[in-house]
Amino acid sequence: MPAKNTNTLSAIEIAPESVAKRSIIWLHGLGADGTDFVPIVSELHLPAAMGVRFIFPHAPIMPITVNNGYEMRAWYDIASLTIDGMIDKTGILRSIHQLEMLIEKEEARGMATRDIMLAGFSQGAAIALATGVRYTKPLGGIIALSGYLPLAQETFEHASKANQSIPIFLAHGMEDPIVPYALGKASYVMLKQANYPVSWHSYNMPHSVCAAEIQDLSNWLKTVWNK
């Protein structure tokens, strides 16, 4: 286990019009930052009564091996473009811990963990999935777009009973050249076989987000949160 980082990640926060009743912590993809998914707040068209507070943290800046060591915001290093390339276990575990700290920060503000969802795109989706499955208190749900479940065997070995029934929204582009569709689908199959309640969605798109996906996610959120 890597040394724990005691510094909370900086983040953009979008407060609801009404009192905050729920929180979604949303992790961006490789090379982006917290601003990347801010527009989705209005695009989801969630009812004001849901009182959702969105938190968009900025990943640390680090050198990325596959990009010749160029420094960018990332949740973990990528050493190879192949699926079986070296996994940055240390970086993944560090980011899981940092996301756990953000959950704890929300809880300290009075938010019940059951009212906190984890979301992410690409690398961010991977960290959201791994954290949600492992987290020791019940969470509200996991949203993973164009991602996969990293360190799958280890993650299931450390899976928490508190989140065995956590609702999960998985979505992937069938033309994704960055995170292969097969990898996303395999993660869905593994989670389903482990009896997690997963809602799987695929779209004719590359490594991106589309309008139909946002609409499906909006409907899912309203169903899960019964609003």
Side-chain angles (χ1 to χ4, degrees), residues 196-208:
Y196 287 90
V198 187
S199 179
W200 169 256
H201 303 263
S202 58
Y203 306 92
N204 291 317
M205 65 176 185
H207 194 63
S208 60

Side-chain angles (χ1 to χ4, degrees), residues 57-81:
H58 305 292
I61 296 173
M62 64 179 69
I64 300 300
T65 301
V66 77
N67 289 337
N68 297 315
Y70 183 80
E71 293 190 348
M72 60 182 64
R73 292 195 181 278
W75 299 108
Y76 51 89
D77 188 23
I78 297 178
S80 169
L81 290 177

Side-chain angles (χ1 to χ4, degrees), residues 120-133:
F121 176 79
S122 194
Q123 267 201 348
I127 297 301
L129 272 174
T131 305
V133 170

Side-chain angles (χ1 to χ4, degrees), residues 105-205:
K105 183 178 178 181
E106 281 301 282
E107 190 178 11
R109 297 170 77 182
M111 193 69 67
T113 58
R114 289 185 181 276
D115 294 322
I116 301 172
M117 280 199 190
L118 308 181
F121 176 79
S122 194
Q123 267 201 348
I127 297 301
L129 272 174
T131 305
V133 170
R134 293 165 178 247
Y135 200 64
T136 56
K137 295 181 182 180
L139 295 166
I142 305 172
I143 300 163
L145 311 182
S146 302
Y148 66 101
L149 181 64
L151 305 175
Q153 182 176 345
E154 180 176 328
T155 295
F156 284 128
E157 289 174 356
H158 290 85
S160 169
K161 291 183 179 179
N163 284 301
Q164 181 60 58
S165 299
I166 189 170
I168 303 174
F169 182 98
L170 290 186
H172 217 103
M174 292 183 287
E175 303 163 17
D176 193 332
I178 307 298
V179 179
Y181 174 80
L183 188 57
K185 186 65 178 289
S187 297
Y188 159 67
V189 171
M190 285 188 290
L191 288 163
K192 197 69 176 176
Q193 289 177 341
N195 296 316
Y196 287 90
V198 187
S199 179
W200 169 256
H201 303 263
S202 58
Y203 306 92
N204 291 317
M205 65 176 185

